[in-house]
Amino acid sequence: MAKQYIEPQYKAPGAYNSQYTNKLNSLQDSILNYGAFNYDYNKDNKYQAYAKEYGRLGNLARQNTLGDLASNTGGYASSYATSAANEAQNDYNRQLAAMIPQLEETAYNRWMDQYNRNVTNYGLVKEADDTAYGKYRDTVTDGQWKFGQDWNKYSYNKNYDYQQNRDSITDKQWKDQFSWQKKMDNKNYALQKKALKR
């Protein structure tokens, strides 16, 4: 009786499910929808801090100038003293205004750095996702290779047993035919012998 072989079954793994999808989508969105650079010094905290300090220094310079000039005129303010005091204060206002391009450049660099960080982070997460997908594909390929090996072994054993079974049937048929032929030949020989004796 031929052996019974269990036909191998291929168990396909589930579809690749990336753990990075949400992060990739979020980073991609942050890159694609990154707003244009727009600088408003009135909304810049650094500018506000400088404005406060330069305003304080300007007022102090104004008061000092008025005080110095008033002491030279017996304590009376003059139009020259007022003009000189205003000029001392305006000097600080000009210094503050001169800082705006530098503050804008700093803000632009921060804006650009954030954009570049988003791009870099997207690349790192994408690389991690590609690595994970590569491992998944390796698992799929290994499973397919093993199934192919199991199938070849199954087919070989089944065909081998089938051929052996066919050979044994053929051998039995040949033996039966040969035995029958021998039997018939013996009968014919016996009949011929008998016929010759008459």
Side-chain angles (χ1 to χ4, degrees):
M1 182 174 173
K3 292 180 186 174
Q4 294 297 315
Y5 292 99
I6 298 171
E7 183 176 318
Q9 301 295 316
Y10 177 64
K11 294 177 184 174
Y16 176 67
N17 187 13
S18 173
Q19 60 180 317
Y20 302 98
T21 301
N22 291 339
K23 187 68 176 169
L24 282 171
N25 288 341
S26 174
L27 286 167
Q28 187 178 52
D29 186 60
S30 71
I31 293 167
L32 296 176
N33 297 312
Y34 197 67
F37 176 72
N38 185 19
Y39 181 72
D40 181 353
Y41 62 86
N42 289 313
K43 294 178 181 176
D44 186 345
N45 291 334
K46 284 193 173 184
Y47 175 81
Q48 296 303 324
Y50 280 122
K52 189 175 180 181
E53 180 61 15
Y54 276 73
R56 185 185 70 77
L57 293 172
N59 282 333
L60 187 60
R62 185 176 193 284
Q63 289 168 11
N64 288 341
T65 302
L66 282 173
D68 290 345
L69 292 175
S71 66
N72 293 337
T73 59
Y76 294 103
S78 67
S79 60
Y80 170 75
T82 302
S83 177
N86 287 341
E87 184 58 32
Q89 187 173 26
N90 286 339
D91 184 50
Y92 279 95
N93 291 338
R94 280 190 293 275
Q95 290 180 48
L96 175 63
M99 293 191 74
I100 291 175
Q102 180 185 343
L103 291 170
E104 183 174 10
E105 183 179 354
T106 301
Y108 176 79
N109 289 336
R110 280 196 312 269
W111 176 85
M112 201 66 216
D113 286 347
Q114 183 57 57
Y115 177 79
N116 289 333
R117 270 196 300 276
N118 292 345
V119 171
T120 299
N121 289 339
Y122 179 84
L124 291 172
V125 175
K126 183 73 174 76
E127 187 177 328
D129 187 44
D130 289 345
T131 300
Y133 181 71
K135 288 179 181 175
Y136 164 80
R137 286 303 308 162
D138 288 345
T139 302
V140 171
T141 303
D142 290 349
Q144 290 170 340
W145 180 85
K146 186 178 182 316
F147 172 72
Q149 294 298 307
D150 290 346
W151 182 263
N152 289 341
K153 186 176 177 183
Y154 165 78
S155 297
Y156 173 81
N157 288 336
K158 195 170 177 187
N159 288 338
Y160 180 78
D161 283 356
Y162 175 77
Q163 190 59 48
Q164 276 195 324
N165 189 42
R166 290 302 305 152
D167 289 347
S168 67
I169 290 170
T170 303
D171 290 349
K172 186 177 181 311
Q173 287 173 341
W174 179 84
K175 277 184 184 179
D176 291 348
Q177 178 69 28
F178 184 70
S179 294
W180 180 82
Q181 189 63 51
K182 256 177 33 174
K183 202 180 210 180
M184 292 307 293
D185 288 346
N186 286 338
K187 268 188 183 179
N188 286 336
Y189 178 71
L191 286 174
Q192 285 174 1
K193 202 172 174 184
K194 195 174 181 184
L196 285 173
K197 284 184 179 178
R198 286 189 196 169

